[in-house]
Amino acid sequence: MTRHRISRAAALPILALGLVACDATPPPVGMVRGAELFETCAPCHGDAGLGDVDIAAPAIAGLPQWYIQSQLQGFQAGWRGKHADDLAGLRMRPMAVSLNREGDIESVAQYVASLEPTFPPSTLHGNAGAGAALYEQVCVACHGAAGRGDEILHAPPIVQLPDWYLLQELEDYRRGARGVNPADTWGITMRANTLVMTDQAMADVIAYVQTLR
Amino acid sequence: MTPELLSTYAADIDNIILLVAVLTGFWFVAAEGVFFWLIWRFRAKPGVKSEYLVGNERHVMKWITWSHGLVLICDVFIVIGAVQVWYNVKQRLPEADSTIRVIGQQWAWTFQHPGADNQLDTPDDIFTVDDLHVEVDRTYHFVLESRDVLHSFSVPVFRIKQDAIPGRAITGWFEATGTGEHDVQCAEICGIGHGVMAARIHIEDSGQHAAWISSASAAQ
């Protein structure tokens, strides 16, 4: 074989590799694509989606696909994570905006939903007994007696969420950093329920939620 | 293609960059030209023995000293131009028609605009995230802060770029010379979301800006 023939033979696979590299078609919607997209989430939420309290990134592993999709759509539309006082939300929003191809949100939500949830230990030490009454009075209607949520009411499961995150979000609702955008229909409902809650009531109800695991 | 020039000092900044590019470009081409000419001129020839040059002979030294002197003269022009631009953009603080606060954080820009009273830090202030509204032909002071790490407030059409440093409030200024909607970006690597830490600046005429203040105040 002459040198030219060898060069030509070598050029073909190189050209093929180049064409593959230039192919911008994403993998089909689903777990493979979701796993690929999750690499963007992992630096904050962790490889297993268990969160990181130091950067206010909550555990998201095992949250239902419909809820993850809904929140990512909210971040993109600006009804979540676009309030000047919602510091964690402001950090999350541009990451959600970067999911800009058709099927990205569905894929990553499916992947996150497939991750195994854990039940982080309590750190707030509220009074679960006192919290039970408030939970039965206010929260149970949407989040359910077992805290597993209700898709029809757009209420997510809350039992596997870390207590620091639950407190952060309740405080954000109460001070108007979340649930004030008119497009956030379900958030507005949630905010209304937090307006009368004291700091102690929040700690107590969170302590009760953690007994539902 | 560079973005439009929409601040009073944008053209000055472009001109100093052009001056630096032309002068350094000229000396780059000249130095490379002499270099390759010398390679060709003193290439190996049959029967000619190479000669060792110490480099301190007068006829050799002139290649260094003359060009060095000329480069220093060029440097003087660059320094004079750069100091003038630096003073105008960074040191001088013309009287403000209005003041805004710009707060960077991973990975968003929060803008605090004065409300109808045109006074910052009063109850009618308007807070927005990733949308800055200013009026054309007015001098603005901006008070730049960071909530977490280093950021850099960059408005390409203004040619302004100013670092935001946690714990410090840095004051700068700009005056827009044309209306429109343009990019605001972070120009300092600030974490995984740095590349998507984008915002928009809305430069409006007085009527549009008054209307925006009115509608934004009502929505607050």
Side-chain angles (χ1 to χ4, degrees):
Chain A
M1 188 183 277
T2 66
R3 216 167 88 185
H4 286 293
R5 279 185 191 154
I6 293 170
S7 303
R8 227 174 279 168
L12 284 173
I14 292 169
L15 180 64
L17 279 172
L19 289 173
V20 168
C22 292
D23 183 6
T25 309
V29 176
M31 290 291 283
V32 174
R33 186 158 150 196
E36 181 187 276
L37 291 166
F38 189 75
E39 289 175 18
T40 310
C41 320
C44 293
H45 291 286
D47 291 338
L50 301 180
D52 184 343
V53 63
D54 292 335
I55 50 173
I60 52 175
L63 284 172
Q65 184 177 344
W66 64 263
Y67 180 69
I68 299 284
Q69 281 183 209
S70 153
Q71 296 308 297
L72 287 172
Q73 285 159 356
F75 280 116
Q76 286 195 343
W79 54 256
R80 187 169 176 199
K82 207 179 176 184
H83 191 284
D85 294 329
D86 181 5
L87 302 187
L90 288 173
R91 199 177 299 127
M92 178 61 207
R93 199 176 70 86
M95 310 313 290
V97 171
S98 69
L99 300 169
N100 53 14
R101 298 171 304 182
E102 193 177 346
D104 277 357
I105 286 182
E106 292 80 358
S107 300
V108 79
Q110 186 183 353
Y111 181 79
V112 170
S114 75
L115 297 172
E116 192 66 32
T118 60
F119 298 96
S122 304
T123 59
L124 297 177
H125 310 299
N127 182 338
L134 181 59
Y135 189 87
E136 294 298 328
Q137 189 186 337
V138 180
C139 318
V140 71
C142 298
H143 291 284
R148 305 283 166 173
D150 187 333
E151 182 177 354
I152 294 169
L153 298 172
H154 277 246
I158 48 180
V159 284
Q160 77 266 45
L161 294 174
D163 56 6
W164 62 263
Y165 175 70
L166 290 171
L167 181 63
Q168 170 187 290
E169 296 308 296
L170 286 174
E171 287 176 340
D172 276 358
Y173 276 119
R174 186 175 58 183
R175 66 198 174 108
R178 188 176 171 188
V180 289
N181 190 306
D184 185 8
T185 318
W186 303 97
I188 289 171
T189 305
M190 182 66 201
R191 172 169 152 71
N193 289 319
T194 62
L195 291 177
V196 294
M197 292 175 78
T198 62
D199 291 349
Q200 187 60 50
M202 287 182 179
D204 292 347
V205 81
I206 290 168
Y208 176 70
V209 167
Q210 296 202 306
T211 67
L212 300 175
R213 294 168 171 180
Chain B
M1 190 172 153
T2 56
E4 290 177 77
L5 300 165
L6 289 182
S7 75
T8 49
Y9 48 62
D12 297 338
I13 293 173
D14 272 13
N15 288 340
I16 193 70
I17 291 171
L18 183 63
L19 178 68
V20 172
V22 167
L23 291 178
T24 55
F26 168 78
W27 282 109
F28 173 76
V29 171
E32 294 300 304
V34 170
F35 178 65
F36 284 106
W37 177 73
L38 287 173
I39 289 173
W40 179 81
R41 171 76 179 75
F42 296 103
R43 67 191 183 280
K45 291 175 186 164
V48 178
K49 199 176 176 186
S50 61
E51 183 184 353
Y52 178 70
L53 293 174
V54 177
N56 58 2
E57 297 88 345
R58 205 179 183 85
H59 74 284
V60 175
M61 285 290 286
K62 71 181 180 185
W63 288 94
I64 304 297
T65 51
W66 289 9
S67 54
H68 188 200
L70 290 170
V71 166
L72 286 177
I73 291 170
C74 292
D75 281 349
V76 170
F77 281 101
I78 291 174
V79 167
I80 290 173
V83 166
Q84 282 178 339
V85 171
W86 181 265
Y87 174 77
N88 183 36
V89 177
K90 298 283 188 178
Q91 308 264 218
R92 191 172 73 92
L93 202 59
E95 195 173 340
D97 296 316
S98 197
T99 300
I100 55 171
R101 180 169 284 113
V102 178
I103 304 166
Q105 76 141 90
Q106 291 176 318
W107 293 283
W109 295 102
T110 296
F111 301 106
Q112 183 181 354
H113 310 73
D117 65 358
N118 199 32
Q119 297 293 315
L120 202 64
D121 294 324
T122 55
D124 71 343
D125 285 356
I126 301 163
F127 290 83
T128 58
V129 172
D130 292 344
D131 286 289
L132 170 61
H133 290 257
V134 297
E135 188 178 329
V136 69
D137 296 328
R138 281 172 68 87
T139 302
Y140 280 84
H141 284 186
F142 61 84
V143 180
L144 182 60
E145 299 172 11
S146 169
R147 279 178 170 148
D148 39 38
V149 298
L150 286 176
H151 299 281
S152 185
F153 176 59
S154 165
V155 186
V157 291
F158 289 173
R159 303 295 193 273
I160 192 167
K161 197 180 283 182
Q162 174 63 57
D163 281 1
I165 300 169
R168 288 184 59 185
I170 297 169
T171 303
W173 74 280
F174 60 78
E175 180 182 334
T177 56
T179 58
E181 188 183 326
H182 302 279
D183 289 335
V184 174
Q185 59 192 16
C186 179
E188 182 72 47
I189 295 284
C190 60
I192 191 172
H194 165 71
V196 286
M197 187 173 162
R200 301 289 283 171
I201 182 168
H202 307 261
I203 310 169
E204 299 148 342
D205 62 32
S206 58
Q208 290 170 328
H209 193 62
W212 174 77
I213 288 178
S214 178
S215 65
S217 298
Q220 289 278 82

